[in-house]
Amino acid sequence: MRDITLCHPDLQARAAKLLAACEAAGIGIKIGETLRTAAEQDELYAQGRTKPGNIVTNAKGSSYSSMHQWGVAFDFYLAMDVDGDGKTSDDAYNDSTGLFAKVGQMGKSLGLEWGGDWKSIVDRPHFQLPDWGSTPSKLKSEYGTPEAFKKTWKKAAGWVKDSEGWWYRHADGSYSKNAWEQIGGEWYWFDGAGYMVEAAWKETEGKWYYLKENGAMAHGELCAVGDEIYCFAEDGRMLEGEVTLHTNERGALVV
């Protein structure tokens, strides 16, 4: 599976920070494998043993031996043109420029354990929470099964970023879709998949609103959109016709 929202809330938060840190550093990555079922892990374990390919894991799924099964691990891949051939499809695991080590150090600075530090098997695209050790032994001892462990997770409301964009998780784990939502005093529009819309116009009940680059709706302000400047009322409506402007205490023009 490639859905980080199925993983432990702490892992989701750190994955979002890692994506942001990599973006700021000019390194494009996306989240790959996240939660795995026992069947998926057994299929991976068979590779290089009873099925063709190289051995890529020592963890059996039937014994819950992979941290992926416990929802505390994810893999990443590169989403950028590393070799300069104009394509990204052939560079997902191209480590010719040492990008995996750079991302590994970023992840470690965020409190993640990096598989690139392992001695057997070195797993450079892998990160996991270090809270329960490098193997699931402690998790199995304390909780028995991944299902029992998941019941202890405390889902906190907050912003989550994955490979597709930003969305807002409610305390009950739900999220808004095709809807406006006020968060922290600002209004946001979430699309049909639940992702925050940014740098875009939105029409609602015949009125036009603008979502700025940070996703927040423009309101009570002048806002540059392309080569033009628009005025927005305090409730966010785009104003038309004559508009009265005044200055605030800092001398800036406001609606």
Side-chain angles (χ1 to χ4, degrees), residues 2-189:
R2 290 193 170 189
D3 188 352
I4 192 66
T5 66
L6 298 175
C7 294
H8 193 284
D10 287 350
L11 188 68
Q12 293 183 41
R14 296 189 203 189
K17 290 180 180 179
L18 179 64
L19 287 167
C22 286
E23 182 179 1
I27 302 175
I29 69 167
K30 287 191 175 182
I31 302 298
E33 286 286 308
T34 56
L35 184 70
R36 288 195 196 123
T37 64
E40 289 171 334
Q41 187 63 35
D42 277 335
E43 184 74 13
L44 199 61
Y45 181 80
Q47 184 176 316
R49 293 182 173 89
T50 59
K51 293 189 176 182
N54 297 320
I55 291 177
V56 293
T57 181
N58 289 323
K60 289 183 178 180
S62 54
S63 57
Y64 307 128
S65 297
S66 169
M67 297 299 260
H68 281 281
Q69 293 177 266
W70 295 85
V72 295
F74 70 86
D75 296 333
F76 73 92
Y77 62 94
L78 300 176
M80 58 188 297
D81 182 11
V82 178
D83 54 18
D85 65 354
K87 300 184 297 181
T88 60
S89 58
D90 58 346
D91 291 319
Y93 298 101
N94 184 350
D95 198 26
S96 61
T97 59
L99 288 174
F100 280 86
K102 292 179 182 178
V103 176
Q105 292 305 313
M106 291 182 190
K108 289 165 65 175
S109 72
L110 295 171
L112 291 167
E113 179 178 339
W114 179 46
D117 288 332
W118 296 347
K119 305 302 179 185
S120 172
I121 298 167
V122 176
D123 194 358
R124 290 185 178 86
H126 178 95
F127 284 111
Q128 64 185 45
L129 293 176
D131 307 54
W132 300 276
S134 295
T135 71
S137 297
K138 187 175 181 180
L139 287 166
K140 287 193 281 187
S141 175
E142 289 188 21
Y143 303 101
T145 67
E147 289 69 28
F149 175 55
K150 291 175 191 175
K151 291 179 180 178
T152 69
W153 295 359
K154 294 180 180 179
K155 295 181 179 179
W159 287 100
V160 178
K161 185 177 184 182
D162 59 26
S163 58
E164 300 300 323
W166 286 97
W167 59 281
Y168 189 81
R169 180 181 59 221
H170 302 140
D172 63 359
S174 65
Y175 55 94
S176 295
K177 295 188 292 183
N178 282 326
W180 287 99
E181 183 171 352
Q182 188 175 36
I183 303 169
E186 299 289 347
W187 283 96
Y188 299 85
W189 173 260

